[in-house]
Amino acid sequence: LLVKDARRGLVRHALDSIRGACTTTFGRGRLGRKLAVGLVAALAAWFCFGTLNYDLHLTASVAPATSRHMAMPFEGVLAAVRVLPGDSVEAGDVLCELDRRDLDLEHARLAAELDVIDKERTRALAAKNAVEARLADAKFKLAATQLAIVERRIEQATVRAPFAGVVIRGDLRRQVG
């Protein structure tokens, strides 16, 4: 038997060693060893083919690709705020509104002044007074220009988003009034 074992090849020797180990491990009355080998085999299979859920916790900061600043079109009293930081806006959305009561009064005053100047001009033309008519024309142009400025400010009193984006800063709720 010893000579027979010595003459076998390397592959045959390895197969005989494996067969002997299996017989020793999985023979009769070896329940503990069988369970241990089964558990190790199951863990190895799970390690190779199983999955595990895990969460990554990373510190990061988000920065906008482009940052654009906006300013009020003119000095005035803030009447209402329509957006807060974090809100998405589209081009043309209302951001805030300025108080326009003084502008409305100025508009009414200038409109009335234009009517008076127009009547003065008509009276000067009827009286054939060229100097007064030209002065009335100049006053009319001045008042019309001032009225256009006030109308433009009334239009600008509602501040709108010139482009789409997300409001990053500028919580103006405490500045209302």
Side-chain angles (χ1 to χ4, degrees):
L1 186 61
L2 185 60
V3 173
K4 181 182 171 191
D5 286 345
R7 288 190 179 167
R8 63 186 170 169
L10 184 62
V11 175
R12 188 74 183 154
H13 180 70
L15 289 175
D16 287 344
S17 294
I18 292 172
R19 187 178 300 123
C22 287
T23 304
T24 304
T25 304
F26 299 115
R28 292 181 159 265
R30 309 278 187 198
L31 183 61
R33 287 185 184 176
K34 290 176 187 175
L35 288 176
V37 168
L39 181 63
V40 168
L43 286 174
W46 177 80
F47 181 75
C48 292
F49 305 110
T51 61
L52 178 65
N53 294 330
Y54 56 94
D55 295 328
L56 293 177
H57 299 282
L58 305 171
T59 57
S61 63
V62 178
T66 59
S67 179
R68 296 183 184 171
H69 300 275
M70 287 189 56
M72 294 303 233
F74 57 89
E75 187 175 315
V77 177
L78 188 61
V81 176
R82 303 286 183 224
V83 295
L84 300 173
D87 290 350
S88 295
V89 294
E90 295 297 321
D93 287 353
V94 176
L95 302 176
C96 63
E97 295 174 9
L98 296 173
D99 186 12
R100 4 178 308 191
R101 290 179 290 188
D102 292 341
L103 293 171
D104 289 337
L105 288 173
E106 183 70 13
H107 185 273
R109 184 188 70 77
L110 288 169
E113 187 177 323
L114 278 175
D115 285 343
V116 169
I117 293 170
D118 188 42
K119 299 224 184 312
E120 286 177 6
R121 183 177 56 180
T122 304
R123 191 184 72 221
L125 287 173
K128 297 189 178 175
N129 189 342
V131 174
E132 281 189 32
R134 300 224 346 130
L135 280 173
D137 277 341
K139 285 180 184 178
F140 188 85
K141 286 180 183 176
L142 178 64
T145 303
Q146 289 174 341
L147 184 63
I149 291 170
V150 169
E151 287 174 346
R152 175 81 172 132
R153 284 205 167 181
I154 288 173
E155 187 180 299
Q156 290 177 334
T158 302
V159 179
R160 297 184 180 278
F163 44 81
V166 176
V167 177
I168 298 173
R169 283 186 306 232
D171 187 1
L172 301 175
R173 289 179 293 183
R174 285 188 250 150
Q175 280 79 19
V176 171

